[in-house]
Amino acid sequence: MSSIFTRIVNGEIPSAKVYEDDHTFAFMDIHPASRGHTLVICKEEYPDLLTTPAELVAAVAITTRRVAQAIVAALQPDGFNIVQNNGAAAGQVVFHYHVHIIPRWEGDRAVRGWEPGTANMAELHELASLISAQIKTS
Ligand code: 5GP
């Protein structure tokens, strides 16, 4: 069964389209966190960042930058957040890889941040070793 975003790309569900090219599609989020909240998706359906081929992640990144430039020009926000959720625990609801562009205005509280934690350098080095040992370069 196709995702809701595939159905949007195919025109089966209406959307307010912002941009489209061979591999990517951008449209307004139906439940915006702020005025101008836009989603950028890969047309081909993959659940998340890690399952999407790298070249398509790159295509989405280029479109995200292009659309963010347009949002800044059109709406003049004070800033914007790029949000990309992977997994239900991280708040992902639609399992079709997508990026949120959320324009921000001073004091709007549109996106909640995290509470900064504490760590020591020994712990950070240990974590860095664990992670770097798993890095795949091809
Ligand atoms: P996630 O939490 O998966 O990162 O975000 C999914 C986003 O898709 C949500 O912000 C939600 O408002 C948006 N969304 C879900 N269904 C639709 C829809 O049918 N149309 C549009 N335009 N946005 C949708």
Side-chain angles (χ1 to χ4, degrees):
M1 164 129 159
S2 299
S3 79
I4 196 150
F5 290 170
T6 294
R7 295 172 67 200
I8 284 174
V9 170
N10 293 340
E12 295 160 23
I13 293 175
S15 71
K17 182 170 96 173
V18 172
Y19 174 81
E20 177 176 15
D21 61 24
D22 286 352
H23 296 298
T24 68
F25 192 95
F27 57 105
M28 307 311 297
D29 195 297
I30 197 95
H31 299 299
S34 70
R35 182 169 174 264
H37 182 169
T38 304
L39 299 174
V40 180
I41 70 169
C42 175
K43 282 184 173 176
E44 216 175 308
E45 185 176 330
Y46 296 95
D48 56 22
L49 175 70
L50 299 187
T51 52
T52 303
E55 61 273 19
L56 294 179
V57 171
V60 169
I62 289 166
T63 295
T64 298
R65 185 171 187 272
R66 183 170 284 159
V67 173
Q69 284 171 327
I71 288 171
V72 167
L75 305 180
Q76 281 114 43
D78 298 320
F80 59 90
N81 291 106
I82 300 297
V83 176
Q84 202 276 304
N85 300 324
N86 295 276
Q92 186 176 11
V93 173
V94 177
F95 289 83
H96 179 148
Y97 175 57
H98 60 279
V99 171
H100 298 255
I101 307 171
I102 305 176
R104 299 295 303 275
W105 284 267
E106 291 295 343
D108 66 11
R109 302 169 67 92
V111 177
R112 283 184 293 276
W114 59 84
E115 288 289 323
T118 51
N120 59 52
M121 276 316 282
E123 185 184 9
L124 296 183
H125 281 303
E126 186 189 327
L127 287 166
S129 308
L130 274 175
I131 296 166
S132 63
Q134 297 294 331
I135 296 229
K136 297 172 178 64
T137 50
S138 59

